[in-house]
Each structure stands twice: as C-alpha cells, then as structure tokens.
Amino acid sequence: MPVSNASILRLPVVGHRLRAGFPSPADDYVEGELDLNELLIRHKAATFFCRVKGHSMKDAGIFSGDLLIVDRAITPVSGQIVVASVDGEFVVKRLVRDDSSIRLESASPDFAPIILKDGQELTIWGVVTGSVRQFR
Amino acid sequence: MPIFALVDCNAFYVSCERVFNPRLTGVPTVVLTNNDGCVIARSDEAKALGFKMAEPVFKVRELIKKHNVQVYSSNYPLYADMSQRAVAVLSQFTPQLEIYSIDESFLSLDGFRHLDLTTYGHEIRNRVLQWTGLPVCVGIGTSKTLAKLANKFAKKRKQFDGVCDLGALSPATLNTMLEDTALGDIWGIGRQLAPRLEALGIHNARELRDTPPKRMREHFGVVLERMVYELRGISCLALEEVTPARKEIVVSRSFGKATTDKGGLLEAATHYASRAAEKLRRQHSVTQLVGVFLHTSLFNTRDPQYSASTTVSLAHPTDDTREIITAAQRGLESLYRSGYRYAKTGVMLLDLQDAANLQTAFWNPSRPRTKTTNLMNTIDKINTQMGRNTVASGAAGRKQAWRMRRQWLSPAYTTRWSDIPVVNAT
C-alpha cells in the first residue's frame, strides 16, 4: 500500500454543502481538505514508518510505542535524529559527527552513547522527521 | 536516435528483505516461490555456493543447513510496495518510463543526450539506493536490446561499477564484449533458438549483429530480423508506457498439502474468486465468464491422476465478488470427483470488458449497479487498510487448512501497521 493511502484524515476547511435547496454562501470558499500525509511526508517513495521500543530518546520527545516517520531521501547530518543499524540492529539515536569520530547519542541521562568501535558496522538508515503518538 | 536505459534491481526479492533486516547483509540468502517450492531469488553469496534458479527446495536442504543459508518465503506485499517506490524514484529521471517487470524498468533518455549518460546513470543508481535501500544496475544503449545487454555488463563486470553506457565504449571494446556474449544472454533468444543459430554458424552476439538482417528474416521471420537491427543500435521496439489492462485474471495456488476434501476445495475456490474479483475491480473491468480448474499432483505419479476445468457464464457482466464466488463454486462442484488427492485449484476471470463501457442496468434493472459498486468499494477499502481478508466471504472459511505454505514469511513491513519495523531506543 503506498504511504499516501495509509491514513488520510480528511477535514473540509470550510463547512459542508447544504443539502436543502439554497446554495451555501460558503461554497465558493471551499479550499480542499487537510491531509496529514501532506504535512508529515515530504518524499513519499523514501518514507517509512517504524515503531519505537525503549526510553532512551525521551528527552527528545520520543517515547516507547511512538510511530516514527523516517525519510531516507534526506542526507543525514550531525545533530539529526536518525534510525541506524548497528551490527544488524535498528536503533533510534541522535547522530553526532565531528572530525575524529561518529557517535550515536541518547536523549536521556540513563543511557550511554554508542561510540563505534573498530570492526563495528554502522549504517544510517534514514532521518527521523517526526513522530506520532496516539492517546487512545 | 532514441536512447534507452534499463534499470534492474539486483537479486530484488533478497534485496527487499535486506532493507528491513540488515543482519542479512553479506549472508547467503534465498527466497522461495509461492508455496515454498523452489528457489526464486538468490543473493550473490548464495549464487557462489551453487544455488540455482528454480531449484526445488528438497534438493538443496543439505546445502542450506551446511552453510546456514537464510531462507524466506516470497513476501509479495513487501516486494510490490518496494517496486512501486523504486519506480517512483526512477520517474524523477525521465518523463517516459516502461515498467517491464517487478524489478526492471526501461527509461527513455531521449531528452538527456546533452548529459554524460554514465554520470546520469550513477545518479539514478545512487538515488534509488538512498531512497529505497535497493541496489540497482543501469544499462544504456540506443535500442532496448542493447540497453538490456548493457545492463548485463553493468551487473557482471566489476569495472563498470553498476553503470554501463554502450555509447561511451570504443567500437573495438564493444566488439570484444559482444564476442564474449553468448546468444542465450541476448534478450529474446531462448533455449530453442540458440542451437538453430549455431547451426547457421552464428555463435555470439557480435556474429548475430553482423549477419544480414534479410537472412535472419528468411530463416526465422521478422522478430529475429528486428533483433539484428536492435543489436546494431537501430531501435525497433518502442517504449510501452501504458500497461494495458489484463485480458484475463488468474488466481491459483498449489496447496500446502494435497487434499481430498470437497469442503476445503470449495473454501479455496471461494478465496481465490474473491481475490480475483478484487484484481478485476482494481483494473476497472467486469467479467462475464468464470473459469475453474482442479488437478491432482503432477509429480506424485503413484496416486490416481485427475485434472479438469470448466467455465461458467454469467447472465451479465459483473465485478461483484458474490456473483463471481457463486459461479466459481458451481464450477468446482461440477468438476469435483471423490477419491483423488488434489494439489491445486484455481479461478480464472475471462472475457473481461471495461466497466466504464457497460450498460448493464438496461438489461438488469432489478439490481442497481451503484449499490453493488458501493459495497464492493467499501470491502476493498477495508481490506486495503486493515489487512487482506478482514472482510471476506464466510464460505472462504476462517481456518483455511488448504492455504499455501509460507513457513518463512517476513513481516509486511511497509503495508501493515502491525508489521512495521521496530527500532530500539535502549
């Protein structure tokens, strides 16, 4: 299923057409609908959804169970929150890169950063552009 | 002169699995056909271990165990979604594109002659890889046949680094490469044709190219004459941009286990009929003829064999799941004979027409079409959003013991909310 069909929230910007005989005076002002996909997804073909498990990113506003919007079209730069694979496992962390090292930092004092050791494999899988949390 | 690029994804099914399971990188991996019968895709590592295309699994069980080869059932929802994404990225590079198969597309590069096409090819390759995670190779030539061949060079020969523009090669280099190309490696030359060409003294792509086209026409007809022109870089096959609506729809599968049970067969036929009806509606067609077939295992020759098919015509063209199911069930009832162990059944929708051109209401006023259409659209929508078979005919059964075997199926990472990848924040 293409991303755009995944969950479309359609809300008319201006009220419904009237069913009864008279034309609505607002008809000329209907602008279309608000589409969450349009807001949340910049590159449809490169956007994937993931589920967060764990608490290491809580100070960045990412909580266990949240839905992540991951855009692979964006070239990752230092400071961005990314999904990466470290030794074959997907993690969500903040990418920090300087002249001498690459590390993946957590957003919680309870979790140490991942500093890449020799022989460890790191691939940045995509850049996290947003998250969705549902309350019920 | 037109210019074509053929973009082809390397070991596509395996590559799709790897995007969502990075542990598979560098690990020998194979993907099996529907029903886990044969090998249908192999990673380079699996190829190196000697896995062959279409090899039955039972023949390679030892090899799998010995090398700890990772095995997957085909996950078509995932592959179809990834294929669409790759095509969407390719569409950024050309206004004209032909989807040739799930993992191959032809691109027209006519408007991009002023560019260095090798560089352009690398841009295509890099972007598809970044956006989708899928590795592709790009072959460029002035005919589709040459683009196909260039793609093979791009894939097989390390020096090209995944992109081969035949136009950038010197004539001498190209000649040598064509001499090294077996006839069977040319697009459209099958196993039967190659020996017949050999008998005429034509042994490789270069020799075929340099044969007088007229001679090929006399021996084999216009198709091979065209092929000679295409190998010379004169395009005879145009881009087919619009995929024509399919003229028939077939849904069939082998059973995980042969069955003698009529009830199970009816459930299977019902399930396939509703899948076929869904496909029918997706391409906006209607059918007036439903075919059903049924047969015992063709491999198990000890058991008594039975194979039969029939068609059921409908009173009027329809895309209504309920009518198609009823017809399929009637067909199956008439075919069924007790005492056989059935291995496969299938449903075909034939005599398809464009739904838009239809005027059935005139013939069938008792049944307002819009009501049916609304119901079917709603069912399709629910099934798309909530997962296949959320709403299904009760006659299809809920247990589905006849279902095909998909023992090693990976999650529907991109098409089902419950299956999206989990990322650790630990």
Side-chain angles (χ1 to χ4, degrees), chain A residues 7-34:
Chain A
S7 72
I8 297 175
L9 172 66
R10 292 200 183 284
L11 300 172
V13 175
V14 176
H16 286 288
R17 277 162 204 272
L18 292 179
R19 299 252 160 179
F22 298 102
S24 160
D27 266 1
D28 287 346
Y29 299 91
V30 171
E31 285 185 348
E33 294 158 323
L34 290 176

Side-chain angles (χ1 to χ4, degrees), chain A residues 37-117:
Chain A
N37 286 310
E38 190 193 323
L39 182 75
L40 297 174
I41 296 169
R42 257 167 285 171
H43 308 100
K44 187 177 144 197
T47 298
F48 297 86
F49 300 127
C50 300
R51 187 74 64 188
V52 180
K53 196 177 146 200
H55 308 285
S56 73
M57 296 304 285
K58 66 180 171 62
D59 293 349
I62 295 175
F63 299 91
S64 201
D66 283 2
L67 180 82
L68 292 184
I69 297 151
V70 183
D71 190 338
R72 293 182 54 107
I74 300 169
T75 302
V77 298
S78 188
Q80 283 171 336
I81 295 173
V82 297
V83 167
S85 88
V86 181
D87 293 334
E89 189 183 320
F90 283 132
V91 294
V92 52
K93 296 281 159 182
R94 189 183 299 282
L95 174 69
V96 180
R97 195 175 353 204
D98 52 40
D99 296 340
S100 59
S101 72
I102 292 182
R103 60 184 191 281
L104 296 171
E105 290 189 347
S106 297
S108 160
D110 303 335
F111 294 86
I114 299 173
I115 298 162
L116 226 51
K117 294 189 251 338

Side-chain angles (χ1 to χ4, degrees), chain B residues 88-101:
Chain B
V89 176
L90 295 177
S91 308
Q92 298 167 8
F93 289 92
T94 177
Q96 288 167 292
L97 173 148
E98 172 188 344
I99 301 170
Y100 182 66
S101 71

